[in-house]
Amino acid sequence: MRPDAATVNWARNLTYSSSDVVHPRTPGELQALAARGGRVKGLGSRHSFGDVADTTGTHVSLDAFDDGRPPVEVDAATGVVSIAAGRRYGDVTRSVQAAGRALANLASLPHISVAGSVATATHGSGDDVGSLASAVVGLELVTGDGEVRALRRGDPDFPGAVVALGALGVVTRLELETVPTFDVRQDLHVGLSWDAITAHLDEITGSAYSVSLFTDWGPDGAQQVWRKSRLAPGAAGEAPPADFFGARLASTPLHMLDGVDPAHCTPQLGEAGPWNERLAHFRLEFTPSNGAELQTEYLVPRANVLDAIEALRPLGPRIGPLLQVSEIRTVATDREPLWLSPFDGPTVALHFTWSPLPDDVGQLLPHLESALAPLGARPHWGKLSHAVTDRAALRAVAARYPRFDDFRALAERYDPAGRFRGGFVERLLSL
């Protein structure tokens, strides 16, 4: 195992507390590390903005891990894809597409690891499209006694082990459902008013397979609407309307940040192509930014989204000076209850990409959460929130998960010594 020095997260707003980072190459090396004692924590693509993946012990990166099986393998009979957990979605999707299959959903970035994305309930967008974790049908992990455990959908522990924040062990492999391959065309509209959004939100988000509204929370509504339509392979699809609830069709490619070159974004203007090159917002071959940002996200029950929008709009003058862009998108109910997933019903995600101003953002977050908490909002586990630093806010978040006590009992059973805790996870499980 090759050790590295302790490192920082992708956004460079957090220096990890770990003493080193190791890269086990074989199951035996990982099992020996897990069994020897001391704190251990899996480390993925480091795209969490809080300390959910932190540890005072040893970080484990699976970028060199080889369990003797293909890193990505699609079962032709079932369509299930088995994936080495350290792989990035962008790399996985190429193999899945080559097999004539597709994942139903992708997050905005294809650069993030499969295991870390699933463990934090990361998601994409679509009224009828579930989170990345909802596709999981099986997983393997190494626990603190050095043993390998395999869980599949239907096992009693499975609903607690999928979105688990790394608290049960180091996940080494995941199995995901796939669907037959499909194409996607992406059409953009600009200038969607708040009046149109509040009057027609269901029609807007239901107008395509995946819809994202980008706003600065100013008086003008959504500056851009990105609509990704699902097509049969090779189909061109219908031309988008010139007028979309008052928004006009974009005539040139756009980045969601005003004035930024859209070269890093996936193809737009109705250029249809494979799902793995369209569902994400950004191309795998480019790094969309250098991490010079912070992110926050709140998951709100769909029934409360119009109230949430009305609660946030008065805060627009305080949000705007700190904001790069905010995104509104929908997420479907999980296929089955996952104890720490916020998607136990139809949900709307309110995402904020901030300028790298941690003190100013930290002062604003309690006001955002105070406005949204009465509406059942739950912060994304891997992004910044007031609950990351405030115990009372964290206790309120935990209370919004009906199976939280069951998850804590599961974590204590899998990891009685608390070796996979640290940072945010330790604070959460010690409530």
Side-chain angles (χ1 to χ4, degrees):
M1 289 180 286
R2 175 173 59 84
D4 291 344
T7 188
V8 297
N9 67 339
W10 178 81
R12 300 190 297 277
N13 68 302
L14 173 69
T15 298
Y16 290 120
S17 305
S18 55
S19 56
D20 58 10
V21 182
V22 299
H23 304 257
R25 294 180 295 270
T26 67
E29 288 183 356
L30 176 57
Q31 290 173 269
L33 171 65
R36 77 183 185 192
R39 294 285 182 107
V40 180
K41 192 75 171 179
L43 185 65
S45 52
R46 306 174 186 178
H47 201 260
S48 291
F49 293 81
D51 58 349
V52 67
D54 203 10
T55 181
T56 56
T58 298
H59 265 131
V60 176
S61 172
L62 297 180
D63 54 2
F65 189 73
D66 183 358
D67 62 5
R69 291 173 283 180
V72 183
E73 185 175 26
V74 179
D75 186 313
T78 65
V80 170
V81 57
S82 177
I83 302 167
R87 293 281 164 155
R88 301 182 304 170
Y89 267 96
D91 298 320
V92 169
T93 60
R94 288 172 171 169
S95 297
V96 174
Q97 166 66 6
R101 305 294 295 181
L103 299 178
N105 208 353
L106 293 176
S108 298
L109 288 173
H111 308 75
I112 53 180
S113 70
V114 177
S117 303
V118 166
T120 54
T122 297
H123 61 90
S125 177
D127 281 7
D128 298 317
V129 185
S131 72
L132 303 181
S134 70
V136 177
V137 297
L139 61 89
E140 295 177 10
L141 71 162
V142 174
T143 54
D145 54 8
E147 296 299 314
V148 177
R149 297 199 186 192
L151 297 171
R152 293 194 60 79
R153 188 179 286 175
D155 292 339
D157 293 343
F158 180 83
V162 178
V163 180
L165 313 181
L168 308 184
V170 178
V171 174
T172 57
R173 186 162 284 267
L174 288 155
E175 294 183 349
L176 309 181
E177 290 178 329
T178 68
V179 298
T181 189
F182 57 90
D183 280 0
V184 170
R185 65 172 286 161
Q186 187 168 208
D187 297 291
L188 277 58
H189 286 81
V190 296
L192 185 69
S193 70
W194 283 122
D195 286 345
I197 292 169
T198 55
H200 301 287
L201 185 62
D202 287 348
E203 296 165 85
I204 291 166
T205 63
S207 68
Y209 185 70
S210 172
V211 177
S212 293
L213 282 64
F214 292 98
T215 179
D216 60 6
W217 292 101
D220 297 331
Q223 286 71 47
Q224 298 180 26
V225 181
W226 292 25
R227 300 171 57 250
K228 303 172 193 277
S229 300
R230 181 171 173 169
L231 310 172
E238 296 182 4
D243 180 286
F244 183 71
F245 300 99
R248 66 187 185 278
L249 187 66
S251 58
T252 60
L254 297 173
H255 193 287
M256 65 281 292
L257 298 183
D258 188 39
V260 176
D261 190 336
H264 295 180
C265 298
T266 49
Q268 303 169 5
L269 304 185
E271 180 189 327
W275 62 279
N276 61 310
E277 298 176 2
R278 301 295 189 280
L279 274 183
H281 291 336
F282 296 101
R283 301 173 189 260
L284 179 63
E285 58 268 30
F286 293 107
T287 301
S289 74
N290 293 318
E293 63 187 50
L294 303 171
Q295 292 185 15
T296 295
E297 187 172 41
Y298 301 103
L299 296 318
V300 179
R302 179 149 190 161
N304 297 338
V305 65
L306 295 182
D307 290 335
I309 289 172
E310 289 306 307
L312 289 179
R313 286 185 61 191
L315 294 171
R318 299 188 62 181
I319 293 171
L322 306 180
L323 191 69
Q324 293 188 16
V325 71
S326 184
E327 181 179 6
I328 302 172
R329 50 187 172 168
T330 59
V331 188
T333 307
D334 288 329
R335 291 182 177 85
E336 66 172 278
L338 303 175
W339 296 350
L340 287 193
S341 171
F343 307 115
D344 49 3
T347 301
V348 176
L350 306 174
H351 186 281
F352 301 82
T353 300
W354 308 105
S355 297
L357 301 168
D359 292 339
D360 293 333
V361 171
Q363 292 174 18
L364 177 60
L365 292 182
H367 298 281
L368 294 185
E369 291 173 36
S370 177
L372 294 175
L375 303 172
R378 291 179 275 196
H380 187 291
W381 295 115
K383 303 186 189 297
L384 293 179
S385 71
H386 186 46
V388 168
T389 56
D390 185 87
R391 187 175 179 84
L394 183 58
R395 186 179 294 109
V397 168
R400 294 177 199 137
Y401 287 88
R403 302 296 298 271
F404 176 75
D405 288 340
D406 293 324
F407 176 77
R408 179 164 46 194
L410 180 69
E412 290 173 351
R413 179 157 53 86
Y414 272 62
D415 181 29
R419 296 181 52 224
F420 295 101
R421 301 186 184 190
F424 176 81
V425 174
E426 185 155 36
R427 297 192 297 276
L428 178 68
L429 293 179
S430 64
L431 289 174

